[in-house]
Each structure stands twice: as structure tokens, then as C-alpha cells.
Amino acid sequence: MAAWWWPTMRSISWVPLAGVSAFLGVLALWLNSWHEDLVGMAAGAVAAAVVAGLHDPAAALLSAMPTSAAVRRARRLALIVPVAFAVWIATADGPVLGLLVLAAVGVAVSVRAGVPLGAAVPVVWVIFAWAADINWELR
Amino acid sequence: MIEATDLTKTFGRTRAVDEVTLSTGPGVIGLLGPNGAGKTTLLRMAATVLAPDSGELRLLGLDPTRAPERVEIRRRLGYLPQSPGLYPGFTPYDMVDYVAVLKEHTDRAWRQQEARRVLEAVELSDVMHKKIRSLSGGMKQRVALACAMVGDPDLLVLDEPANGLDPDQRLRLRSLLSTSATVLMSTHNISEVSALCQRVYVMFDGRITFTGSPADLAGLAVGRVWEDERQDPDAIRSWLTSTGTYRHLGHPPNGAQVVDPTLDDGYLLLARKEHT
């Protein structure tokens, strides 16, 4: 097993994803079926939690490492994304591709503009889609 | 070790580093200057974290703008930023071990030995298995310093390494750094510079305005420092000392009791010159 995975796993803040998972879990137990708008909101929350997991408090200290920030980010995503998909399928069970696109856009924004803004993008998008009465997946 | 020619970095309308040229060999090099002088930006460029807008930079004989050479520099570089974040749930040992992993050290036994070595060097052996969240600010700073020292780097770039350290730890830091290959460090603490540095660069408004030894910097104020019972309104700077006399900087009046200048005097005189 590669030496990076366990410390990377421990360095990730799992709180956002755990919080969203717990909330969606309760909703899944409570609801018989998920309304399409609710699936969109859930996708925004899960995608935001994925992006939030990229927050690295030690980023400045690790900024001059031979292992680049991009590689460290990819490793984090490799650990977060499967968990997020498992949560998604076990709760809302919505379109995986839509969730993937939302998360990817959030990650892309976070690379340029920081994790808080990147995490806000999926949420803002699903709220906008709901307010404008358009499909959040643009189908 | 560090060769910079006309290095420039601009943020918006601000020229943080303005055509800086410097050349350093082995030893401890101090970077002095007021807040906002561009020290941190220069250090971030020297640590390969920030690319210059223009100018030429070579670190350890390599070009940091070329990706493969940048990786090679980073293998041989230790960097302590001004605000080094740490993982609160890690122990100092975990943190140093993770840094060793990111420095591509795959041999677990070597990493264990190295983690113990650097943590012992910063005197954290007794807390190496405690969570970082439970450590004091000075201890956290020493954990970050230990991380920078992993692999005994050829070049250490340290942004205010003595931040949060008590006097005893500062002394320990001095002896630690004096055995390192090349250290480029910024500091506000002038006594650190006089005790540690072979060479000093002073920055104001993004430019290097002084290069020389600590003695050369103090020498700028030779014949320009005097002490008196009363405050002198004609002095450039005056302050009350612990002995109850006033120390003055400027052109001493006739009959004034001129005293030997310190590094602070030289720096203050230079700072005054820059702001007039």
C-alpha cells in the first residue's frame, strides 16, 4: 500500500461530507420518494462537501514539496469521491453524471479561487436552477 | 546557492519585489525590512512557491521555472512559511512523517529515523506523540521548523522562523541554523541577525537597499549615535534607554557623547533615509 494514503485520509476534513451524509440519510429514511428539486439540492450539497474536503490547513507548509499541490489534490479526490458516490447512491440515488459534473466544476473553481468559493459553486448552481425553474443537470 | 537577477513580482498595481538582484553562497543570510517591504514575496520565490514576473532566478544551480528542475530543487529545499498551518489531529511525528512521504522518501525505516532526528533537533521528542492541537504556539512553530528540516536540505528558506519562540528556544534555533548549509531567513529581530547571519539584505518597498555584513550595517551609524540626559529635538530618532538616558540618531551636536552604534542604529538610520 502506498505510504501517502493513510496520512492523506487523516488530513482530509471529513466533517462536511459526514454532515451532508447524515442529513441525506435522515431524509432518505423519512421520504418515500425524492422530488427532482430535492435531488438537485442533494447533489449540490454532496458536490460542495466533496470540494470542501480539499481544504488543506497545511497547504502553505507543503507548498514547496516535490509532490505538487495538484498531485496532493488528486489523492484527496481519489479518497473522497468514492465515499461521496456511495453516500449519493445510498440516499438520493440521483444521476451520477450530474453529480460528477457539479463536483468537477466546484473543484476547478477551487483550484483557481480557493476552496470556499469552489464549494459554493454547486450550491449556488442548484439554487439558481431551482429559482429559474430549469433542470439542474441542464437536461 | 541563490542567484537572482532583476527579479520582479507584481500584485495588481503593487510591485512587491522590484528588480531585486542578489547572490548568496553557503551560510545564514538575513532579510530585514519593515512589514510590506516584499520579504515574504521574495522568500516565496526563493522557495519555488511563486514564479517571478520577470528577471532570472537560479536555486542550487537549477532553474525553478522548468518543472523537472523545480522538482529537483524542492527535493533539496526546506521551506517554513510565515503562517505554517498544521493538521491539528496529527502528532508532530505524523506531521514530519507525512512531509517525508511528500518529499518522496519511500523507505519507512528511514522516515522513522529522520522524524526522530528532526524532532529531537527542535526539542520535541517528549511530545512527538501528542496531538498538535494540544501543543503551544511555540511548539507548533517548532513542528513546522522540523518539517522544513526533513532530509537535511541544502537550502532552507525560513520566513520569520523565531515567531512564537521563547528566548531559550531562540538560542536553540540559532545553534540549529548555524549548522545548516544555506539559510535564507527573514526576521524582524535584529539581534537574531547579528548573532546568526554572515550577510544581511535590507528591503524597503520591494527593493534591496543594503547588502553587507551585520557589522557593515551597524557601521552605517558610526559617528551618528549619541547619548544625552535630555531629548534632542534635532535628532532624527530619539528614545529613552533603560539607563534613563536618551539615545539619539542623526548629526550629533558639538560636544555630544558619541557612542558605538549597534545593528539597530544602522537599520533605523537606513529606514529613516528610505522614508525621507
Side-chain angles (χ1 to χ4, degrees), chain B residues 36-96:
Chain B
K39 302 188 299 293
T40 293
T41 305
L42 182 59
L43 289 184
R44 291 182 73 201
M45 287 194 279
T48 73
V49 174
L50 203 60
D53 292 334
S54 62
E56 203 177 310
L57 179 63
R58 290 191 79 79
L59 303 165
L60 303 166
L62 299 163
D63 180 358
T65 59
R66 295 167 188 265
E69 292 185 42
R70 183 166 61 243
V71 172
E72 181 53 31
I73 293 166
R74 288 179 171 190
R75 288 191 184 112
R76 298 166 56 194
L77 175 104
Y79 173 51
L80 176 72
Q82 198 171 27
S83 306
L86 300 164
Y87 301 120
F90 277 37
T91 65
Y93 181 89
D94 296 336
M95 194 71 220
V96 172

Side-chain angles (χ1 to χ4, degrees), chain B residues 226-231 238-248 257:
Chain B
W226 72 100
E227 289 188 347
D228 201 346
E229 299 292 323
R230 291 183 305 274
Q231 198 161 7
S238 295
W239 63 99
L240 193 60
T241 66
S242 57
T243 58
T245 59
Y246 281 91
R247 193 174 177 94
H248 305 291
Q257 186 195 341

Side-chain angles (χ1 to χ4, degrees), chain A residues 7 10 56-58 63-65 67, chain B residues 47 49 74 85 87 89-90 94 98 102:
Chain A
R10 290 184 59 213
D56 186 353
S63 57
M65 292 288 142
T67 307
Chain B
V49 174
R74 288 179 171 190
Y87 301 120
F90 277 37
D94 296 336
Y98 185 40
L102 296 178

